[in-house]
Amino acid sequence: MGSPFVSDVPAAQALAAWREARVAAGCPGRVDVVRVPVGEAVGRVSAEPVWAVRSSPAFDASAMDGIAVRSADTVGAAETTPVVLGCDDFEVVDTGDPLPPGCDAVVMREHVHRTADGGAELRAAVPPYQHVRSIGEDISATELLLPEGHRLRPVDVAACAAAGAFELAVRRVPLVVVVPTGDEIRPPAADLAPGDIPDTNSLMLAAQAREIGCAATVTDIVPDDPELIRAVLDEAAARADLVLLIAGSSAGRDDHTARVVARAGSVAVHGVAVRPGHPVVLGTTGATPVIGVPGYPVSAALTFDIFAAPLLAELVGAAPPERPTATARLARKLPSAIGMDDWVRVRLGRVGDQVVATPLPRGAGVLTSLVRADGLLVVPSGVEGHHAGETVRVDLLRGLREIDRTIVAIGSHDLVLDLAASALRAADPLCTLASSNVGSLGGLVALRDGLCHIAGSHLLDPATGEYTLPYVDRLLGADVAVVRLVHRTQGLLVRQGNPLGLKDISDLTGEGVRYVNRQRGAGTRALLDHELARAAIDPDRIQGYAREEHTHLAVAAAVAAGRADTGLGILAAARAFDLDFVPVAEEPYDLVLRTEDLDNPQLSPLWTLLDRADFRVRVESLGGYSCAETGKRIR
Amino acid sequence: MGSPFVSDVPAAQALAAWREARVAAGCPGRVDVVRVPVGEAVGRVSAEPVWAVRSSPAFDASAMDGIAVRSADTVGAAETTPVVLGCDDFEVVDTGDPLPPGCDAVVMREHVHRTADGGAELRAAVPPYQHVRSIGEDISATELLLPEGHRLRPVDVAACAAAGAFELAVRRVPLVVVVPTGDEIRPPAADLAPGDIPDTNSLMLAAQAREIGCAATVTDIVPDDPELIRAVLDEAAARADLVLLIAGSSAGRDDHTARVVARAGSVAVHGVAVRPGHPVVLGTTGATPVIGVPGYPVSAALTFDIFAAPLLAELVGAAPPERPTATARLARKLPSAIGMDDWVRVRLGRVGDQVVATPLPRGAGVLTSLVRADGLLVVPSGVEGHHAGETVRVDLLRGLREIDRTIVAIGSHDLVLDLAASALRAADPLCTLASSNVGSLGGLVALRDGLCHIAGSHLLDPATGEYTLPYVDRLLGADVAVVRLVHRTQGLLVRQGNPLGLKDISDLTGEGVRYVNRQRGAGTRALLDHELARAAIDPDRIQGYAREEHTHLAVAAAVAAGRADTGLGILAAARAFDLDFVPVAEEPYDLVLRTEDLDNPQLSPLWTLLDRADFRVRVESLGGYSCAETGKRIR
């Protein structure tokens, strides 16, 4: 199949090699200088130092509301020996007024007693220059106000205007041209045939460029034809400061990027030791830098952060964007292959006195892992991952104060938690409910280990037929409370019209019935096992019993795609994929937490929400849910 | 003079009172909902939860470049027992291709050996679903993608587009109308008469509003006439979501804000326990919130942060902007009055293993204190300040990685340091030279206490006639290096034409000559004392000897304003204020540092710069400087 030519160049080395290639190709180190009115300069980067042209204030001014006096006239004034100034010996001044000629000090209005004939009685002597704002106190003409290479903020432009700098030399806004390629790529809103992929990367990359102060345009989608790609690349390079050529950057059949860039200019790097993002291409076309951006959305987003953003900052001579960092305790083991920087997306929340980081799905195609991430954790190429509970440093994608307000739920997934997350945020923009789906048992273990506030559970104990409580007793002991969230109906998800005519659990052993199961530790798995035991059915007789998916929706997706005929799940999951639903059992879904957290203000918005009638109406309208006991403490 | 009606309401209480007043006045809690195409939604705030309309991927797809197979066909394949698939038993697939019907797994290209007749030899069995990206792996139709109240980022809009949400319900962009008032206020670029103040606040406040995603317009400047202000306020309130009425908010003669707002609507708060920013007015006009913004620029900027920004975030239902924080060691004592939250601007730099915070000038009129600030330190109303060396928490205005690269200079001020600061930044946007001016002696003490990297000094020892070194011996001991920065000429700054005909130091005792001195510990003060001793002149005979300013430029400003006739200073300061200059002495200006810091990479850009010929040319062109020994280590 031909040997792929994708290397594993460490990121720092890749950046250096690309820089060298850009210098060799004659790429400009900075974009041009333009002069703009100071009012339009916010967000731009200064291209020259800004020196003050005038002083501010431009005159000696009163710093208070009161009266301007000659300090010499007040010598000797005291409580017992007040001095009275005649009405010609002072002048009433407001804050900011110029000091009248001859005056050298100001007395605050509160310390002046006006006499009947318009004089002013002072009960304290006044030192020279009291409450006087001296000329140049803020800015002295000719002083350096701002250095070159400074990204201008509102206070900066105000200071420039005060200092008489009405036009500023700044760097031109760099232009990024995004070129999407691929026969299978369609505009996002197009009707998609099987195999078609919506071009969401162009939207994202252009927005990323604009977010850091650049201009961005997106070309039409270019088919997988090297000649066509070359033509569009040349045209883009002629007007862009950076070209982002999307997809086709791995070494598969349709991956022309590296070859096209090599022919149009030079390839400095093909393949970096970064995951996701490995098959990136760094090169030049003419005197324009080009990045071949991998097509997986997480790879594309991180490629922008790691390679495009530093270059674009360099082109305007500014410091690259920097994310604040924090330390966090890792909620679970995080293996990582040696030889690659591993960019892991994590959810963060404060549990007790520590920030806990829960790794999100790591696939390069799982864009929602970036959407849901509160932080990025880089496992460097020399490190083989981290143990659960290890302290790690993360780059923050959300503010710590927001993270401090986050309710961390780990356990079984339920749509009601999603609904609650949205309702909580709507009521208070600082309130977040973050749930990670690891199954009921995994949630109880996470609660035991201090990694979450709440574990969502619907674990059936086969011995007692009771839900959750026996497990809580065994795993967690005394200081734990259990609050009912909902009752919900579990059933068999089947294709429209129930083509195999399944009626209950006993039909799962039927000839040719392909089942898709949930993972061990999932409440739905325990429910199946319980129902099988009640019906005395041997699990080995079910084809697909060993095949595991991790969420209700994944089970529904497998049935919808025809990879399986049925699986146990909730009604809402069936509705999501237009499936039919054969009810099997009603079960309680409960929230388990430490008793002390019942009074934790971080969690109180959730209890308030569960009491709201409108919220209960919305839950029941999802179908398959009952709120009869919602919010009730059952232990 | 009438009793001022400005109270000291704590900030949190003021925010609560204002909220109550807004509710009472019928101000909307949120701005309206509008629907925008997903590509225009970045930076906007979601007004509804976003639910996925389609799954992503929408089909089972290959996750690798390779061949799609039936896993059952590969059972038994191993190194010693390879399985060969005929060319009809597999299909070549690229990453992202839909899985062909019948296939349930993918083998990576690297693990396939093609046979001469087009078959594929496998040396390992393949489990079902290996390298298959399942339908819905990223997004399952109907799942909650984003909650309400979420500020949309590039990854979010890409995920929305992938999930089939092409139009999003977001909050309208709030409109802020800025109304500058005051008889003395002029457009920034106008020619200013004495007493005129350029309106830089409108520029700044409008930019602050835009920076957090709002629209902003500025009205013409309104004279100090309550009727006129009322008319403009009513017109502004009719179209704005928030009106910022600038200045006139203290209780002086021209301060109509509170009265006008009270008449047009209601005043909830007049005066908050915050410094700077104390005389703020919080109220409503009709159903529109109004802030009376104090006219001092630092007060205006902080008033926006403390009162306007949270309201504007609330109007769109988003979390208010949040700054990252860090802990730092305070470089010097910071007194603070009980009863007021004191917002102190600080410079930050890493010295040794600690971040050091140096307070900047605290006047509400010193906008450059905000321009130069790396952080904000709030001393709460219940705390009477902090001791030198105390650890404090600061809100960061710059990234910590930038702060880590900052060279901290404390000591005597010299323009060459300003020039170096700009040149260093131009060469490397991450390199900052931050200098605080406390005089030569103060700098040496700061170096001793580990609060800076470099102390700029030109301290003359009267006993030996030597500069700096005797003080270094006394204060700092052995492990200290001294590097020459420049030689510079000190002289008497006098008004144009030298009206008093001063020729040298001995003329300072002349009848009617008003001197302005530098503070104790300043090198220029030591130079004067040395010259006076040499000429056997009693300092008491100099009128104004006790009058102290803290910088060369402040001395020049005093002479320019006619508050003094002369003072000792450098030529560049004379030029800044168009003064004449009577040379008195040439002196060396040196940089003192710990020997170990000679090799500190943080400082190396400075040594490189001092060696650059173009930099020396620029220094000498300032006038009054010689670079003959620049960069030479003299100890």
Side-chain angles (χ1 to χ4, degrees), chain A residues 96-186:
Chain A
D97 284 350
L99 214 59
C103 295
D104 65 355
V106 171
V107 184
M108 280 171 72
R109 190 163 54 160
E110 291 86 333
H111 299 155
V112 176
H113 307 270
R114 295 297 290 272
T115 60
D117 57 353
E121 187 187 270
L122 304 181
R123 291 172 178 269
V126 181
Y129 307 102
Q130 171 182 283
H131 299 324
V132 173
R133 236 189 123 206
S134 301
I135 174 174
E137 178 194 270
D138 187 2
I139 301 166
S140 293
T142 79
E143 79 171 289
L144 174 75
L145 198 59
L146 296 171
E148 183 181 332
H150 179 78
R151 199 175 286 278
L152 296 154
R153 303 159 302 172
V155 290
D156 299 321
V157 297
C160 287
F166 306 124
E167 204 184 59
L168 300 179
V170 298
R171 295 287 164 188
R172 177 171 64 69
V173 171
L175 173 66
V176 175
V177 176
V178 180
V179 181
T181 74
D183 290 339
E184 74 287 13
I185 305 297
R186 298 280 172 276

Side-chain angles (χ1 to χ4, degrees), chain A residues 60 148 322 401 425 563, chain B residues 60 148 322 425 563:
Chain A
D60 284 343
E148 183 181 332
E322 181 182 328
R401 268 163 240 176
R425 179 69 72 88
R563 291 200 309 276
Chain B
D60 284 341
E148 182 180 333
E322 179 183 329
R425 179 68 71 88
R563 291 200 309 273

Side-chain angles (χ1 to χ4, degrees), chain A residues 519-544:
Chain A
Q519 84 278 14
R520 274 149 288 183
T524 304
R525 169 82 164 244
L527 173 64
L528 174 74
D529 291 346
H530 179 69
E531 294 292 328
L532 292 177
R534 279 210 319 175
I537 299 170
D538 178 357
D540 286 348
R541 290 174 54 209
I542 300 175
Q543 185 192 343

Side-chain angles (χ1 to χ4, degrees), chain B residues 7 87 111 178 186 256 274 283 299 324 495 498 509:
Chain B
S7 49
C87 54
H111 298 155
V178 180
R186 298 280 172 275
H256 308 293
V274 173
S299 305
R495 272 187 296 287
N498 192 1
T509 56

Side-chain angles (χ1 to χ4, degrees), chain A residues 474-497:
Chain A
R474 251 171 273 158
L475 270 169
L476 290 158
D479 297 334
V480 170
V482 181
V483 173
R484 178 122 312 155
L485 184 65
V486 281
H487 279 95
R488 62 184 195 179
T489 306
Q490 294 256 31
L492 294 173
L493 315 185
V494 293
R495 272 187 296 287
Q496 285 272 352

